[in-house]
Amino acid sequence: MTKHVIHCIFAVCVSMGLLLLMIGMADSVPNAGGQPHAEHPGMVIGADGAARLAHIGSLAFMFNSLLLTLVVGLCVLGVSERHRSRKFLAGMGGSWLFMLMIWWMMFSTHQEFLLTGETDYFMGFPVPTAWQMYGTWLGAIPLIVMYSYGFRTFIYTREDEAEFDALLEQATRNSKQD
């Protein structure tokens, strides 16, 4: 299974690289980096947001989706194969889906704003920004919970600890004999 995980991670990385190439080669938009503000020198104002995303919006969405997939894939790879139970994989899958849902909400509410020019507010921010501010860290919580509460089940079990202690004891005995 480890080789399968490694191959998936490699495929995700290659796909991300291809997406970056496609984004880099996409048609550029005039004033994509902004233009000088009329009233405040040194400040830059952005150009039309919809125009800036017209050629790369879906590519950017796919790139970040793959980035979230990479994060979860690397977390799975970091757990010993013998501890990758159905429960663990279900938790990782649920975490991945939760992060993707937050990313989708962030992206889709921004797209909706670009189309309509209107947005609601949530806890002091426009909804797309609120998803960014609150959703980004919220999306990491399931992974943190899995690591914290599943540490002795998936990461470093009592058996792993006993094995490690035995290795240390053996190394100590060997160093005393030399």
Side-chain angles (χ1 to χ4, degrees), residues 8-169:
C8 288
I9 289 170
F10 179 73
V12 166
C13 290
V14 168
S15 299
M16 289 172 70
L18 292 172
L19 283 170
L20 282 178
L21 282 173
M22 292 169 68
I23 289 169
M25 294 181 352
D27 292 338
S28 70
V29 177
N31 299 320
Q35 52 198 3
H37 195 281
E39 295 177 30
H40 305 287
M43 186 176 184
V44 178
I45 57 173
D48 178 20
R52 285 184 294 177
L53 288 178
H55 302 295
I56 64 166
S58 60
L59 299 174
F61 178 81
M62 289 188 294
F63 182 85
N64 197 57
S65 297
L66 286 172
L67 179 63
L68 296 174
T69 304
L70 180 63
V71 167
V72 172
L74 291 171
C75 288
V76 170
L77 185 64
V79 170
S80 176
E81 192 169 350
R82 70 182 182 273
H83 299 308
R84 294 183 201 152
S85 65
R86 287 179 186 240
K87 182 179 176 182
F88 171 76
L89 294 174
M92 294 307 289
S95 296
W96 176 71
L97 289 173
F98 185 62
M99 289 187 295
L100 281 179
M101 189 258 331
I102 290 171
W103 169 231
W104 170 252
M105 291 305 298
M106 191 185 318
F107 186 81
S108 65
T109 56
H110 179 66
Q111 292 297 311
E112 185 179 316
F113 166 73
L114 291 176
L115 287 174
T116 65
E118 297 176 9
T119 187
D120 291 325
Y121 287 81
F122 179 76
M123 293 181 62
F125 293 105
V127 171
T129 306
W131 276 109
Q132 172 67 42
M133 289 293 298
Y134 306 124
T136 299
W137 64 265
L138 185 64
I141 289 178
L143 292 177
I144 294 168
V145 168
M146 289 229 6
Y147 183 82
S148 300
Y149 290 108
F151 186 80
R152 284 296 188 179
T153 305
F154 306 121
I155 309 296
Y156 190 61
T157 64
R158 302 277 182 217
E159 294 82 23
D160 293 336
E161 185 175 19
E163 230 177 275
F164 182 71
D165 289 342
L167 283 173
L168 286 178
E169 190 177 306

